[in-house]
Amino acid sequence: MHMADALISPAVGGTLWAVSGGLITFCARKVKQTLRENLVPMMGVLGAFIFASQMINFTIPGTGSSGHIGGGLILAILLGPHAAFLVIASVLTVQAFFFADGGLLALGCNMFNMGFFPAFVAYPLIYRIIARGQPGSLRVGVATIAASVVGLQLGAFGVVLQTLVSGISELPFHTFVLMMLPIHLAIGAVEGLATVAVVSFIARARPEALPTSPLPGTATGIRPILAGLAIAAMVIGGAASWFASTHPDGLEWSIARVTGAESVEAPESGVHQRLAGLQEQTAFLPDYGFKQAEPGIATTIPAGPEPDPWPSINAGTSVSGIVGGVLTLILATLVGMALRTRTTSVVPHNL
Amino acid sequence: MGATDWIEIGRMDDLARLDTPMHRLDARAKIIVTLAFIGVVMSFPPHALSALTPFLFFPLVLIYGARIPMGPIVKKILLAMPFALAVGIFNPFLDRRPVLAIGPVTITGGWMSFTSILVRFLLTAGAALALVACTGMVRLASALGQLGVPRVFVVQLLFLHRYLFVVAQEGRNVLRSVTLRSSGTRSLNLGVYGSLTGNLLLRSMDRATRVYRAMMARGFDGEIRLVHPHQVRWIDGAFIAGWLAFFALGRTWNLAGGLGHWLTGVIP
C-alpha cells in the first residue's frame, strides 16, 4: 500500500505533504507534553518492530501486490495516537530512504493513508468507543479487529483517490476500488488478529508497558482531529470532484495542465523548432522526420471516439525521442563512469 | 523484502562512511536537490518518456560520484517495484490509442505511459537511495532538523534506525538459542513462534530502555552533535544552483528529443 512517486502528481504529493507535515508538527508538540517516562525508547523500538513486521509480506494472489501489517492501530493502542502517528511516519521515512519502498514526495500520502486513518480515525472513533474492559476480552478483540479493518479500508481508499487525482495510472475509479478494498479487507482482518495477539500478550506479560487510559494527551485531541479530518476530506474531495467534473474522460490531461505542463507538445516545441531551422540548413534530407509514416498510422487507427489523440506525436518525433533517449542514457552512463574513475583516483582507498 | 535485506540497512551506512566529493557535500543541499528532482520528474505529463531520460544524470552522478556500487541500489529498486508495476500494468490495456509506429510494430499510449511510470520509479527511487547511501542516517536526520523538521520526529527517526539493529541482534540471539535447544531437528509449531515473537518484543523493549537510559546518563538531550559539524561551502551552493538549472532546462525542453531529432536529421 506504499504509494510510489511514479504514480502521483506533484499537486497531490505536495498537498498531502503539507497535511502530513502539519500533523507531524502537531503530534510532536503533543508528545512533548506527554510525561510518560519511557516513551522515547518505546517509540523507537516499536517502530523498529513494525518495520520488521512490515517486511513479512504476504502476497495477494492475482494482483502482484503484497500485503503487510500496517501497524498503526497497534501503535495507537500502545503509545497513544500522537506518538503512533510519529512512529508510523518515521517507519515510512526510513523505508522510503533505505528501501525505496514508497517515494519521498509520496511520503505525505503514505503517512496520511497508513498513519492518520488508523491513529486518528479508527483508534479514537472505533476502538476507544467500543473497547471497554480488559485486553484479551471478546469485546476488546472485536473493537480491535473492527478498528483495524476500517483504518485499512480508509487508507486503501485514500490510495485510490490519490492515484486517480494524480492521473498517471489509467485505472478507472470503480476497477481500482474493487481491486483495493476487498484485498485490504482481508489484510485488515489479519492485522486485527495480530494486533489482538500482541496487545493481549503485552497485557499478560508486561502490563506496565500498556498505557493506563486515559493517556495524557489523548483525551484532549478529538476536536482538532475531527476538524483536521474535515479539512482534509474537503481538500481531497473538493480536488477530486473538481478534476473529475472538468474532464471526466481524460483525467490525466487536466492534471497535466494544472501541474504546469501546458500540454504534451510544449516540452518538445522549443528545441524542436530551433533545431528544425538548423536542420534545414544542415540536413541531407530536410524533411526527414518520418513524416510519411503518418498516413500509415492513420490507416491503422480505427475511427475511435477521440479524433485527435495526440496532436504532437508523430512517428518522426517519437523515433527522435527514442534515439535521443537511448543516446542520453549512454551519455549519462559514460559521464558517470568517467566521474567514477576520477573520484577513484582522487580519493585514497582507505576503506 | 526478505529478512536479509533488513540487515542491508547497515550496508547503506557503510557506504555513507566513504569519503568522496559527493559525501562531503552538505546534507541539506543534497536533500533539497533530491526533493526538487523528484518533484520535477513527477510533474511530467503521464506519457513523457524521452524527456525524462536526461534526468537519469542526477542519480547516476550521485551514485558514480560517491563510488556507490550499483548492485545494492538496483536490487532495492527491483524489490520495491511491485506496487508501481501492479498499478501501472493496467495502462496498456486501458489506453489502446496507437501513438507510434516503428515499421510493423505499433506502440499504444498505454505502453508509453506504463514505461513512463517505470522510468519515473527508477529515477525517483534511485535518487532517494543514492541520497541515503552518500549521506547516512545521522547526517540526514541532523540536516532534516536544520531544515525545520520537529526535533521529536528527528529523534524518533534516529532511534528507529538505531533500534532496528537492536531488534535484529536480539532476534539473532533468540534464533540461536532456539537452534541450540532444538538441535536443529525439531520443527517448531506456530505457537512456539508466537511466544518467540512476544519474547523478542519484550527483550527488545528492555534493551531499548537500557540503551536510552545509558544515553540519558551520558547527557543526551535530543540534540544531534556531529563530530565534524558541516561548514557551508560555495560548492554546496553551486551544487544546488547547477542541478536546479539543469532540472529547469530538462523540464522546459525535451533535451533527449532535441538531440535525437537533430541526429536523425543530420544522419539520415
Side-chain angles (χ1 to χ4, degrees):
Chain A
M1 168 148 147
H2 290 52
M3 295 275 282
D5 282 343
L7 296 173
I8 61 168
S9 68
V12 174
T15 309
L16 270 295
W17 243 63
V19 173
S20 294
L23 276 169
I24 286 180
T25 315
F26 168 71
C27 292
R29 205 172 301 151
K30 283 281 174 192
V31 166
K32 243 189 216 165
Q33 294 165 2
T34 310
L35 297 171
R36 214 170 133 194
E37 187 235 347
N38 63 346
L39 190 63
V40 175
M42 282 290 281
M43 279 170 69
V45 79
L46 285 173
F49 234 83
I50 295 300
F51 194 106
S53 65
Q54 288 201 353
M55 301 215 144
I56 304 159
N57 275 2
F58 38 101
T59 311
I60 303 152
T63 59
S65 182
S66 55
H68 53 69
I69 304 294
L73 188 66
I74 270 193
L75 293 170
I77 294 171
L78 294 178
L79 300 170
H82 303 102
F85 184 81
L86 288 181
V87 173
I88 282 286
S90 71
V91 167
L92 292 167
T93 308
V94 171
Q95 277 171 341
F97 275 142
F98 282 85
F99 293 108
D101 201 7
L104 285 190
L105 280 203
L107 252 182
C109 297
N110 287 326
M111 288 175 184
F112 195 79
N113 296 337
M114 285 185 257
F116 177 82
F117 289 124
F120 289 127
V121 180
Y123 174 73
L125 300 183
I126 295 170
Y127 179 83
R128 298 252 311 181
I129 287 173
I130 302 177
R132 288 179 204 287
Q134 289 299 311
S137 70
L138 184 67
R139 191 186 166 109
V140 173
V142 169
T144 311
I145 294 171
S148 165
V149 167
V150 169
L152 221 60
Q153 288 289 302
L154 288 172
F157 195 63
V159 170
V160 173
L161 278 187
Q162 289 147 17
T163 309
L164 283 178
V165 174
S166 295
I168 309 283
S169 159
E170 310 223 357
L171 279 173
F173 177 72
H174 60 275
T175 315
F176 202 9
V177 166
L178 284 178
M179 206 175 86
M180 287 292 281
L181 296 195
I183 289 168
H184 284 91
L185 203 64
I187 299 175
V190 174
E191 170 158 5
L193 289 172
T195 309
V196 172
V198 171
V199 174
S200 52
F201 175 81
I202 293 180
R204 257 186 294 121
R206 195 69 57 84
E208 72 273 12
L210 282 176
T212 47
S213 84
L215 196 75
T218 56
T220 52
I222 297 288
R223 210 174 298 154
I225 289 158
L226 284 178
L229 176 66
I231 292 166
M234 262 162 17
V235 169
I236 295 170
S241 62
W242 179 56
F243 285 124
S245 61
T246 48
H247 211 307
D249 291 329
L251 216 56
E252 68 270 34
W253 294 108
S254 55
I255 305 280
R257 235 167 284 136
V258 170
T259 53
E262 297 267 315
S263 60
V264 176
E265 67 263 36
E268 308 226 354
S269 62
V271 171
H272 239 166
Q273 281 165 4
R274 238 158 285 166
L275 282 170
L278 183 73
Q279 219 184 326
E280 272 171 28
Q281 295 164 354
T282 56
F284 188 61
L285 294 168
D287 273 331
Y288 196 87
F290 294 92
K291 283 267 160 63
Q292 279 78 3
E294 265 191 318
I297 297 179
T299 53
T300 60
I301 303 173
E306 291 180 69
D308 52 352
W310 263 354
S312 74
I313 293 199
N314 61 50
T317 53
S318 305
V319 170
S320 314
I322 294 169
V323 171
V326 170
L327 261 173
T328 314
L329 293 189
I330 295 169
L331 211 65
T333 315
L334 285 178
V335 167
M337 278 157 88
L339 218 89
R340 164 165 287 184
T341 46
R342 234 193 90 232
T343 50
T344 312
S345 61
V346 168
V347 177
H349 293 276
N350 54 355
L351 272 156
Chain B
M1 277 188 279
T4 49
D5 305 305
W6 182 13
I7 311 301
E8 288 228 333
I9 282 188
R11 184 162 166 72
M12 293 290 264
D13 282 331
D14 290 341
L15 292 173
R17 257 176 245 125
L18 289 164
D19 184 25
T20 71
M22 288 299 156
H23 285 80
R24 285 194 286 272
L25 284 168
D26 191 293
R28 283 168 293 178
K30 285 185 271 189
I31 292 176
I32 289 168
V33 172
T34 307
L35 288 180
F37 170 81
I38 295 173
V40 171
V41 167
M42 283 163 62
S43 75
F44 273 94
H47 300 81
L49 204 52
S50 64
L52 282 171
T53 50
F55 284 84
L56 204 69
F57 273 106
F58 175 65
L60 281 183
V61 165
L62 269 195
I63 289 170
Y64 284 126
R67 289 202 293 139
I68 301 163
M70 200 54 106
I73 303 278
V74 171
K75 195 174 146 202
K76 279 170 198 287
I77 290 177
L78 290 179
L79 281 167
M81 209 167 227
F83 187 76
L85 214 61
V87 176
I89 192 66
F90 291 95
N91 282 13
F93 302 104
L94 297 169
D95 176 6
R96 291 165 179 273
R97 291 170 298 172
V99 293
L100 165 63
I102 309 169
V105 185
T106 308
I107 294 169
T108 61
W111 280 110
M112 290 280 282
S113 58
F114 173 57
T115 317
S116 178
I117 286 178
L118 294 189
V119 171
R120 280 158 209 262
F121 185 78
L122 189 78
L123 290 174
T124 51
L129 291 172
L131 167 71
V132 178
C134 73
T135 311
M137 193 62 204
V138 176
R139 270 184 290 174
L140 211 57
S142 156
L144 286 176
Q146 287 170 329
L147 287 171
V149 174
R151 191 193 279 187
V152 176
F153 188 64
V154 171
V155 170
Q156 164 63 17
L157 276 178
L158 281 177
F159 270 88
L160 168 64
H161 178 250
R162 202 158 288 204
Y163 285 162
L164 281 174
F165 298 98
V166 170
V167 173
Q169 282 164 6
E170 290 295 334
R172 227 171 287 150
N173 290 347
V174 168
L175 273 183
R176 187 181 299 133
S177 54
V178 168
T179 318
L180 285 172
R181 281 168 181 77
S182 61
S183 315
T185 50
R186 265 188 301 162
S187 61
L188 301 172
N189 61 29
L190 208 64
V192 177
Y193 270 114
S195 84
L196 277 183
T197 314
N199 271 307
L200 177 59
L201 178 60
L202 293 184
R203 287 169 69 120
S204 310
M205 271 160 50
D206 289 345
R207 187 159 160 205
T209 310
R210 286 202 302 277
V211 169
Y212 179 67
R213 284 198 185 129
M215 286 173 74
M216 293 297 278
R218 286 161 180 78
F220 177 72
D221 58 355
E223 184 79 31
I224 307 152
R225 291 179 181 82
L226 298 175
V227 181
H228 304 292
H230 196 88
Q231 305 279 323
V232 177
R233 298 169 302 160
W234 66 268
I235 191 106
D236 300 318
F239 179 80
I240 299 179
W243 279 115
L244 292 190
F246 178 72
F247 299 158
L249 210 67
R251 184 66 186 85
T252 320
W253 290 294
N254 183 349
L255 298 178
L259 178 70
H261 198 80
W262 181 67
L263 278 175
T264 47
V266 172
I267 313 156

